[in-house]
Amino acid sequence: MSGAESFDPDALKPMQLSPSAQRRLRGLITEEGNAALKLRVYVTGGGCSGFQYGFDFADDASDDDTLIAFDDVSMIVDPLSYQYLVGSTVDFEEGLAGARFVIQNPNATSTCGCGASFMV
């Protein structure tokens, strides 16, 4: 007989939003004074590795978007981008190069030096 097992509902989410990204998103929502804001994460063609990541803010999701909630903040991904981002973690980092959202993508076979573009 096995002991009690813990259940982590975040482990079942198609993408993760790191604690630092959640904190930054909360701060941006507070600065804008709009509790409905969500982080839109997307992929476009271009960049030095073929695709590049993009971030924007949206008040609401389209019918075909995937909405992923984390407590009081949410992330939106369009269907085209979703296929490239599933399994990824969105993080927020601050350093000598500035502050920015970044993606740790297990689907990327290579990335550029700055991490803003990738290849699958």
Side-chain angles (χ1 to χ4, degrees):
M1 188 185 294
S2 67
E5 295 181 28
S6 63
F7 174 70
D8 180 6
D10 285 340
L12 300 176
K13 295 186 187 285
M15 290 177 64
Q16 296 297 315
L17 191 62
S18 76
S20 64
Q22 290 181 41
R23 277 190 302 277
R24 181 61 181 144
L25 185 51
R26 282 185 197 98
L28 292 168
I29 289 169
T30 300
E31 286 175 24
E32 292 295 318
N34 183 354
L37 280 182
K38 297 159 188 53
L39 179 65
R40 179 173 287 283
V41 182
Y42 59 92
V43 171
T44 60
C48 53
S49 293
F51 294 103
Q52 59 189 11
Y53 302 115
F55 302 94
D56 199 358
F57 293 98
D59 289 333
D60 52 5
S62 299
D63 289 340
D64 58 350
D65 285 340
T66 298
L67 177 67
I68 309 164
F70 298 87
D71 295 323
D72 58 340
V73 295
S74 299
M75 183 167 42
I76 300 171
V77 184
D78 66 85
L80 181 62
S81 300
Y82 183 87
Q83 64 186 327
Y84 298 109
L85 295 171
V86 70
S88 298
T89 298
V90 177
D91 196 8
F92 182 78
E93 62 181 31
E94 296 179 84
L96 295 174
R100 63 187 180 144
F101 285 101
V102 294
I103 295 184
Q104 299 157 359
N105 187 345
N107 305 307
T109 57
S110 67
T111 60
C112 67
C114 68
S117 67
F118 68 103
M119 183 182 308
V120 290

